[in-house]
């Protein structure tokens, strides 16, 4: 499993989430506490929004704690909307193209979780991606496939519905040809205006997810694990939940993929 953190609000330095807190994302890359693997050393990545519509990206295969460029970048770049990820592979290679976040156009996406038995269903999953988007398929992960399928399902017009349909299609495929756990999903995605987050699982073990408002930073942090051990106001996102964070506040919706309907459409 992986660990990630995202932020939306008044512009801050990326270091205020990525490196500075006691349990920062870089610290979690060595000492995660709420997942099966304490070490997340199979690459890392950043996506941040600034004056352009498309996000900036920095990804590498090194462990996050050992990359001096990451620390320098985090201390110099300021953004009002960014995402950061440290990876623990669930089976695919440690390579640049498999590092999160992924980006296509204005959209960025990162994921913690898995589609069960993805090695057995990867070809079928890839066939769900349209020809128009298949050039964007650079790596081999289930996460990138989920992102591209969601784009095909209408992420621009209906982020919530598109993610529901994409998750349902992959869960059905896993149930038919893959292995358990069929779907575990804690993801963040953004179009540069809003930050979306989802927590869901086909079993009772949805990956951890929290959020918190900071008066000092004037923004929201959405994270796999709380960034400070002495802060008691982190809110756990319930399983089966879709969140939208924006300048207007926070909206919460149910996230329950319609497997029966997706199966009929397929």
């Amino acid at each position: 499993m992986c660990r990630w953190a995202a932020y939306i609000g008044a512009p801050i330095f990326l270091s205020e989430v990525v490196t500075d807190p006691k349990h920062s994302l870089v610290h979690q890359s060595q000492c995660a506490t709420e997942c099966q693997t304490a070490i997340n050393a199979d690459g890392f990545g950043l996506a941040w929004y600034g004056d352009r519509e498309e996000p900036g990206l920095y990804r590498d295969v090194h462990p996050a704690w050992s990359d001096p460029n990451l620390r320098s970048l985090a201390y110099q770049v300021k953004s009002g909307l960014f995402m950061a990820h440290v990876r623990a592979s669930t089976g695919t290679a440690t390579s640049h193209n498999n590092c999160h976040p992924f980006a296509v156009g204005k959209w960025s996406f990162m994921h913690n979780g898995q589609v069960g038995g993805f090695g057995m269903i990867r070809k079928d999953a890839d066939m769900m991606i349209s020809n128009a988007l298949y050039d964007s398929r650079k790596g081999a992960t289930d996460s990138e496939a989920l992102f591209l399928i969601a784009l095909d399902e209408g992420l621009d017009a209906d982020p919530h519905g598109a993610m529901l349909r994409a998750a349902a299609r992959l869960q059905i495929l896993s149930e038919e040809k893959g292995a358990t756990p069929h779907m575990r999903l804690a993801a963040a995605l953004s179009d540069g205006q809003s930050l979306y987050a989802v927590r869901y699982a086909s079993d009772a073990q949805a990956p951890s997810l929290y959020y918190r408002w900071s008066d000092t930073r004037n923004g929201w942090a959405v994270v796999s694990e709380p960034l400070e051990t002495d802060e008691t106001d982190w809110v756990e996102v319930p399983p089966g939940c879709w969140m939208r964070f924006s300048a207007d506040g926070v909206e919460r919706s149910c996230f329950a993929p319609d497997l029966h309907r997706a199966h009929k459409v397929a």
Side-chain angles (χ1 to χ4, degrees):
M1 293 294 186
C2 309
R3 303 284 83 180
W4 59 255
Y7 172 85
I8 185 170
I12 63 171
F13 289 107
L14 275 57
S15 60
E16 295 185 48
V17 170
V18 176
T19 61
D20 292 351
K22 293 178 183 176
H23 197 47
S24 70
L25 194 65
V26 168
H27 186 262
Q28 290 175 39
S29 69
Q30 293 179 289
C31 303
T33 59
E34 297 195 33
C35 59
Q36 294 179 349
T37 55
I39 305 298
N40 297 270
D42 297 323
F44 67 87
L46 301 170
W48 68 95
Y49 291 88
D51 294 332
R52 302 182 187 275
E53 183 179 68
E54 296 183 355
L57 277 180
Y58 176 61
R59 302 182 297 174
D60 213 328
V61 297
H62 303 300
W65 67 78
S66 68
D67 191 294
N69 294 317
L70 172 62
R71 291 187 176 274
S72 178
L73 187 69
Y75 273 94
Q76 294 296 332
V77 173
K78 206 175 218 184
S79 174
L81 177 51
F82 62 87
M83 307 196 303
H85 186 278
V86 291
R87 182 172 183 253
S89 172
T90 55
T92 51
T94 301
S95 71
H96 183 274
N97 286 333
N98 287 338
C99 293
H100 308 221
F102 306 101
V104 176
K106 67 181 180 180
W107 283 97
S108 55
F109 176 88
M110 62 184 179
H111 172 227
N112 170 38
Q114 66 188 107
V115 179
F118 190 73
M120 296 182 284
I121 62 174
R122 178 181 158 193
K123 181 178 179 181
D124 297 275
D126 280 4
M127 291 177 67
M128 293 179 177
I129 303 167
S130 70
N131 289 336
L133 276 174
Y134 198 73
D135 274 352
S136 299
R137 176 67 156 146
K138 306 299 184 184
T141 63
D142 50 0
S143 305
E144 186 186 34
L146 175 63
F147 175 40
L148 295 175
I149 293 167
L151 282 166
D152 273 327
E153 288 289 344
L155 203 57
D156 280 331
D158 179 15
H160 184 196
M163 282 300 300
L164 280 167
R165 292 186 289 272
R169 293 179 68 185
L170 284 178
Q171 182 174 328
I172 289 169
L173 183 59
S174 175
E175 290 176 354
E176 291 177 343
K177 299 182 179 181
T180 56
H182 296 302
M183 178 65 69
R184 289 182 182 165
L185 172 63
L189 57 156
S190 179
D191 58 0
Q193 300 298 318
S194 298
L195 174 65
Y196 304 93
V198 56
R199 185 185 184 203
Y200 168 76
S202 58
D203 59 12
Q205 299 184 49
S208 59
L209 191 59
Y210 299 84
Y211 67 96
R212 178 181 181 269
W213 170 261
S214 170
D215 286 328
T216 57
R217 295 185 178 95
N218 195 29
W220 295 97
V222 188
V223 300
S224 295
E225 299 183 13
L227 300 176
E228 296 285 0
T229 56
D230 57 352
E231 292 171 343
T232 60
D233 54 345
W234 287 94
V235 181
E236 184 176 10
V237 176
C241 188
W242 171 267
M243 308 283 294
R244 175 178 178 261
F245 299 84
S246 70
D248 299 324
V250 182
E251 301 171 15
R252 180 186 291 187
S253 306
C254 175
F255 191 88
D258 189 339
L259 303 182
H260 178 70
R261 181 178 179 184
H263 195 283
K264 287 178 67 176
V265 171

